Amino acid sequence: MTNDLLFAGPELMLAIGAMLLLMAGAYGGDRINLTVSRAAVALLIMTAFYAAARTPADPSVVFGGGFVVDSFAVFCKVVTLLGSALAILMSEKYLQTERLARFEYPVLIVLAALGMILMISANDLISLYVGVELQSLALYVLAAFNRDSQRATEAGLKYFVLGALSSGLLLYGASLIYGFTGTTLFDGIAAAVAADTGPSVGLTIGLVFLISGLAFKISAAPFHMWTPDVYEGAPTPVTAFLAAAPKLAAMAMFTRAMVAPFPEIIEDWRQIIVLIAVASMAVGAFSAIVQTNIKRLMAYSSIGHMGYALLGLAAGDAQGVQAVLVYMAVYVVTTAGAFAFILAMRRPEGMVEQISDLSGLSRTQPGLAVAMTVLLFSLAGVPPTVGFLAKWYVFMAAVDTGLIWLAVVGLLTSVVGAYYYLAIVKTMWFDEPAPRFERSMGATLSVTLTSSALLAFPVLVIAMGPLHGAAGRAAASLFTGG
């Protein structure tokens, strides 16, 4: 048990830290809001370093097989925890300006991060569900954090209702899988499936329901209905958080839940993944064209990006998983930068969200325009940004598996997607100037936006080398077994 607890050190640190922060906030009141926020950031960063330091040489399965620690889990945990810490830092100025600064906010993000890293290491259908629900319950509250806003309350309610539906789908699928394999452990499921001559109809149906529940968590089509409304209605810092770290954690959970228990029937679940990937790329590309609200546009953009990431999962091999990890890491960085820009869209009368508000930004605030242009090029996959390289990896993973037509569909939807990204660039550089935004965007937002733009800039594409190597080691550990 002592050894098991050591491997669960990051999870224990977050759980204990969240309880301490909650008690400190309850006793200290509003006067220590900023202290709780900074302590939460420090906790998340320390946990990320601890997780990286405890990377095992070989995959370690603990707690009776329900929890696994390997390079794949560590890679995803580190990015998720750092992304969560950045989300808190990016929120501070907004929350203070909108008079929403309360100690519960960073505590909820820490609890959501705890659920995320539990999802990432889940090696059992039950532990997977526990992680999903812990993350989801915190996110429901965060989406409706602005209690005085009708939009935020509506967003939280929609997220909760549809989230409950997705949990039902996931649980029903898990129960069918348990019924036809006799176990909830991923290793046991894999052994039971390998022992059969072919997947039973009941197991296949269970797999369909399981994938449906997981697809909701990454907002992949056709389970994306909540995404545009929640992204638009939730406070902008919450939207920034929803768009980044939880997506990477959910994709990591999705990948492990397919690769670890069902390697023998890859041809069966690959068809479902391919269908979801095509639907997500198409919905993301074509629905975003008509959007005028930049937060809704980013919602459809995220749906499309999940479709591209699923190309790597459809490959079902180590190269495909490596491509997924690279793509999601790049996505988190560029999305954080884009939302730092959106958080800077403030005028004396308050926050603005319309794309038309960016008109002529290159003439009023050229620094902001340049940074956002680079990030939009990366999100669109325009060479030679890191976004282009990330898409190249997932396309090549699909091609090497024989899914050439799927890569072609991805390429075509990328061309369509480039239209709405370039339309924003055109608005910023060629339209008549709108009133400028406030001069001071805060140190955190400024650093985040600048760093994200530099990391996406062609000069620093060399940074993809270490990232690609780390993702390769993480993907290999997923296929070595525990």
Side-chain angles (χ1 to χ4, degrees):
M1 178 60 71
T2 302
N3 185 59
D4 291 358
L5 291 175
L6 287 175
F7 280 109
E11 288 75 13
L12 291 174
M13 284 180 65
L14 286 189
I16 296 171
M19 294 301 102
L20 292 175
L21 291 174
L22 187 60
M23 288 188 290
Y27 283 104
D30 292 340
R31 58 190 174 84
I32 65 166
N33 286 341
L34 185 59
T35 302
V36 172
S37 179
R38 297 291 169 83
V41 171
L43 173 64
L44 289 165
I45 293 175
M46 287 190 298
T47 305
F49 278 107
Y50 178 80
R54 292 286 303 173
T55 305
D58 299 306
S60 300
V61 180
V62 295
F63 295 113
F67 193 84
V68 61
V69 180
D70 52 14
S71 296
F72 176 84
V74 171
F75 178 94
C76 296
K77 286 180 182 180
V78 169
V79 179
T80 297
L81 291 168
L82 294 179
S84 300
L86 181 61
I88 295 176
L89 289 173
M90 289 172 58
S91 306
E92 288 180 353
K93 187 174 187 296
Y94 176 95
L95 295 177
Q96 291 169 1
T97 304
E98 299 294 327
R99 298 182 179 179
L100 292 174
R102 295 194 290 271
F103 74 89
E104 293 95 333
Y105 183 86
V107 174
L108 284 167
I109 289 186
V110 170
L111 290 173
L114 172 58
M116 286 185 264
I117 62 176
L118 283 172
M119 288 159 43
I120 291 169
S121 280
N123 198 46
D124 178 276
L125 292 174
I126 296 175
S127 56
L128 180 149
Y129 180 71
V130 170
V132 166
E133 287 305 297
L134 180 55
Q135 175 211 241
S136 298
L137 290 172
L139 294 183
Y140 299 153
V141 180
L142 282 170
F145 195 74
N146 186 358
R147 296 172 296 184
D148 298 325
S149 168
Q150 182 178 347
R151 287 203 315 168
T153 305
E154 181 182 345
L157 185 59
K158 285 181 178 178
Y159 195 11
F160 172 72
V161 172
L162 293 175
L165 174 63
S166 77
S167 294
L169 294 174
L170 192 152
L171 277 177
Y172 185 60
S175 65
L176 285 174
I177 292 170
Y178 170 72
F180 284 91
T181 61
T183 180
T184 58
L185 293 171
F186 287 176
D187 296 339
I189 294 171
V193 172
D196 292 338
T197 55
S200 63
V201 174
L203 178 62
T204 303
I205 294 174
L207 190 54
V208 170
F209 276 101
L210 180 69
I211 292 175
S212 299
L214 295 175
F216 177 92
K217 301 305 177 185
I218 62 170
S219 65
F223 307 98
H224 65 285
M225 299 81 67
W226 62 276
T227 314
D229 291 336
V230 173
Y231 273 43
E232 182 183 11
T236 304
V238 175
T239 305
F241 179 56
L242 289 173
K247 290 292 178 66
L248 184 142
M251 184 61 74
M253 171 188 67
F254 203 156
T255 301
R256 191 187 293 279
M258 293 295 100
V259 171
F262 304 108
E264 299 295 329
I265 55 172
I266 183 173
E267 294 300 330
D268 294 275
W269 57 260
R270 175 184 284 156
Q271 300 174 44
I272 309 172
I273 299 298
V274 166
L275 179 63
I276 294 175
V278 171
S280 299
M281 291 186 293
V283 168
F286 290 99
S287 298
I289 292 177
V290 297
Q291 302 303 318
T292 57
N293 182 292
I294 195 165
K295 288 168 67 177
R296 289 186 71 89
L297 184 142
M298 290 300 295
Y300 284 109
S301 169
S302 73
I303 294 168
H305 282 292
M306 293 306 104
Y308 297 122
L310 286 173
L311 295 183
L313 179 56
D317 56 10
Q319 180 188 353
V321 173
Q322 181 183 20
V324 171
L325 294 178
V326 171
Y327 194 92
M328 292 306 299
V330 170
Y331 168 79
V332 167
V333 172
T334 51
T335 300
F339 273 98
F341 175 87
I342 294 171
L343 282 165
M345 293 173 60
R346 175 182 292 276
R347 296 200 175 106
E349 64 271 17
M351 296 291 295
V352 292
E353 300 174 358
Q354 297 302 306
I355 295 174
S356 58
D357 291 312
L358 301 175
S359 297
L361 186 66
S362 62
R363 278 175 274 178
T364 57
Q365 292 168 290
L368 281 178
V370 170
M372 189 57 173
T373 299
V374 172
L375 292 172
L376 290 172
F377 281 166
S378 185
L379 287 169
V382 175
T385 61
V386 292
F388 167 76
L389 292 178
K391 280 189 178 178
W392 174 265
Y393 289 140
V394 292
F395 288 164
M396 289 307 300
V399 169
D400 291 345
T401 313
L403 299 172
I404 300 175
W405 69 270
L406 185 59
V408 172
V409 171
L411 181 62
L412 293 176
T413 54
S414 292
V415 174
V416 176
Y419 170 80
Y420 59 81
Y421 291 121
L422 295 178
I424 300 177
V425 175
K426 175 260 180 188
T427 299
M428 291 192 298
W429 288 88
F430 299 107
D431 287 5
E432 287 300 315
R436 63 176 294 128
F437 301 134
E438 289 184 353
R439 288 183 179 275
S440 175
M441 59 185 293
T444 302
L445 294 183
S446 179
V447 170
T448 301
L449 179 58
T450 304
S451 301
S452 298
L454 287 175
L455 288 173
F457 203 69
V459 174
L460 296 180
V461 166
I462 192 172
M464 290 290 284
L467 173 62
H468 193 257
R473 292 187 294 273
S477 73
L478 187 61
F479 286 86
T480 57

